[in-house]
């Protein structure tokens, strides 16, 4: 019979001291549980970015830049910029695998004052403002199924110094969605991670349906030439305007770094998640836009805000609008689910 040496503890001779739990952390991340693996971290990168932007921006971009080739170039260029950022964050994340993301990096590089100011700016404006904006998008598409809860339905008006404060049903829906996500994450990181991973898988699966449908129907034959149409007077300036929309749509890829204290083996997992995630984002966005170009001509999409809805309706009929609305609602809710974890 095999025998195993016992570790003596201060509790008394002969009593074995249990090995420390691998999940127990010391230092700045003490109390956090590392339960997010590589797959979940990649889904967090995708989930935090794919919100409402990809469903809304291409038609607006086409109004300024009516060129299929240049529009696709803009999406690839944006993806490459995000990839360089992902590589940079991957390096810094492996050096400082602690919760806080950019706060930690700024604190290490420029001192605690810079980190302190960034932390408060993120709390008051940057991250909270982004979450609020996405919640409004969720409420807008949620109201497709419940019109009484739209942003146009005013339910109260409060007199405040300097004017009146209008409270609309859609604002309450957006606020409730944030509160629900907060409660789920308060219960534990496992529940929050499971929710964001599930929602991300659902919205990516729904997004895959658009290119499959577009390539099967091929309603339009995209015109890739001329690269610069003669009716674009200032191509460089128009390309710059389009890039603003592209970078807004890619916004949020770095949120995963804020959750480093809850990621397993962050010095290896975080860089891999950022690299895989940013590559995945570029692939998804380029493929979706190619699908738009096989669904609508440039003239049909110019100035159209709800480009995904128009593309699906052109391919499958006007009854498909509910499918797009449900996809965007899940997408925006999932986007905030990933953001709240960070």
């Amino acid at each position: 019979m095999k025998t195993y040496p016992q570790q003596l503890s201060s509790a008394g001779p002969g009593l074995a001291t249990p090995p420390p739990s691998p999940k127990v952390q010391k230092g700045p991340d003490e109390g956090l549980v590392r339960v997010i693996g590589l797959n979940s971290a990649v889904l967090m990168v995708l989930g935090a970015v794919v919100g409402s932007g990809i469903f809304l921006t291409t038609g607006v971009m086409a109004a300024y830049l009516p060129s299929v080739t240049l529009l696709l170039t803009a999406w690839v260029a944006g993806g490459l910029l995000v990839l360089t950022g992902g590589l940079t964050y991957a390096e810094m994340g492996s050096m400082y695998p602690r919760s806080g993301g950019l706060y930690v990096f700024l604190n290490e590089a420029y001192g605690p004052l810079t980190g302190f100011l960034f932390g408060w700016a993120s709390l008051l404006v940057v991250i909270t403002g982004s979450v609020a904006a996405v919640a409004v998008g969720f409420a807008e598409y949620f109201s497709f199924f419940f019109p009484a809860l739209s942003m146009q339905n005013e339910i109260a008006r409060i007199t405040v110094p300097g004017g009146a404060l209008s409270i609309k049903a859609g604002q309450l829906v957006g606020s409730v969605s944030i509160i629900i996500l907060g409660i789920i994450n308060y219960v534990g990181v496992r529940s929050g991670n499971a929710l964001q991973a599930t929602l991300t898988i659902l919205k990516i699966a729904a997004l895959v349906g658009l290119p499959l449908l577009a390539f099967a129907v091929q309603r339009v034959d995209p015109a890739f030439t001329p690269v610069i149409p003669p009716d674009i007077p200032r191509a460089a300036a128009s390309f710059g305007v389009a890039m603003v929309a592209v970078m807004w749509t890619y916004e949020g890829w770095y949120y995963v770094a804020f959750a480093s204290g809850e990621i397993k083996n962050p010095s290896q997992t975080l860089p891999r998640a950022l690299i895989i995630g940013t590559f995945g984002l570029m692939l998804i966005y380029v493929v979706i836009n190619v699908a738009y170009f096989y669904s609508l001509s440039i003239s049909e999409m110019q100035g159209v805000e709800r480009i995904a809805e128009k593309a699906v309706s052109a391919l499958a009929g006007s009854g498909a609008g509910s499918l797009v609305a449900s996809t965007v609602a899940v997408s925006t809710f999932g986007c905030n689910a990933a953001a709240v974890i960070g």
Side-chain angles (χ1 to χ4, degrees):
M1 181 177 66
K2 292 184 179 180
T3 59
Y4 298 92
Q6 287 185 324
Q7 292 179 315
L8 297 182
S9 71
S10 58
L15 298 179
T17 301
S21 169
K23 296 179 182 178
V24 174
Q25 300 187 64
K26 301 297 182 182
D29 290 332
E30 185 172 358
L32 298 180
V33 182
R34 295 193 185 276
V35 297
I36 301 176
L38 176 60
N39 292 337
S40 295
V42 172
L43 290 174
M44 191 181 296
V45 175
L46 299 176
V49 175
V50 182
S52 59
I54 188 61
F55 302 97
L56 303 173
T57 52
T58 301
V60 178
M61 292 166 59
Y64 294 94
L65 194 67
S67 167
V68 172
T69 302
L70 289 182
L71 286 172
L72 288 177
T73 301
W75 286 104
V76 173
L80 293 175
L81 286 173
V82 169
L83 180 60
T84 59
L87 292 171
T88 304
Y89 266 56
E91 177 68 22
M92 293 190 293
S94 63
M95 293 171 61
Y96 306 106
R98 307 195 302 270
S99 288
L102 189 53
Y103 164 79
V104 173
F105 306 150
L106 291 174
N107 192 70
E108 294 289 342
Y110 302 110
L113 177 60
T114 304
F116 173 82
L117 294 175
F118 171 78
W120 277 104
S122 297
L123 176 64
L124 297 176
V125 180
V126 180
I127 296 179
T128 49
S130 175
V131 169
V134 173
V136 170
F138 166 77
E140 187 69 33
Y141 279 91
F142 186 79
S143 67
F144 181 91
F145 305 100
F146 304 96
L149 299 178
S150 71
M151 294 295 294
Q152 286 71 42
N153 183 16
E154 183 179 84
I155 59 176
R157 180 175 288 269
I158 302 173
T159 302
V160 296
L165 178 63
S166 175
I167 299 178
K168 300 179 179 179
Q171 294 172 328
L172 295 182
V173 171
S175 299
V176 169
S177 72
I178 297 173
I179 292 171
I180 291 173
L181 291 173
I183 292 172
I184 292 172
N185 281 273
Y186 178 79
V187 170
V189 67
R190 286 185 177 88
S191 58
N193 180 52
L195 176 65
Q196 73 84 19
T198 301
L199 291 173
T200 301
I201 291 171
L202 287 175
K203 65 182 172 183
I204 296 301
L207 281 172
V208 168
L210 175 58
L212 290 178
L213 180 62
F215 298 149
V217 176
Q218 293 193 19
R219 177 178 175 271
V220 174
D221 185 16
F224 294 98
T225 56
V227 175
I228 304 178
D231 56 343
I232 304 180
R234 301 171 61 190
S238 299
F239 188 84
V241 172
M243 283 298 296
V244 173
V246 167
M247 298 313 298
W248 173 73
T249 308
Y250 274 110
E251 171 67 17
W253 54 268
Y254 52 84
Y255 280 2
V256 67
F258 288 96
S260 296
E262 295 161 324
I263 294 177
K264 299 175 183 177
N265 193 12
S267 60
Q268 294 184 12
T269 303
L270 184 61
R272 292 173 182 172
L274 283 165
I275 294 170
I276 296 172
T278 49
F279 264 118
L281 285 170
M282 182 166 59
L283 177 63
I284 291 170
Y285 281 176
V286 170
V287 171
I288 291 297
N289 276 276
V290 171
Y292 288 154
F293 297 133
Y294 275 96
S295 307
L296 301 169
S297 65
I298 284 288
S299 60
E300 289 176 318
M301 67 172 59
Q302 281 182 303
V304 175
E305 185 173 334
R306 295 188 175 185
I307 184 67
E309 186 174 335
K310 184 167 184 176
V312 173
S313 297
L315 295 170
S318 57
S322 59
L323 176 62
V324 176
S326 60
T327 300
V328 179
V330 170
S331 182
T332 48
F333 191 69
C335 183
N336 270 351
V340 170
I341 289 182

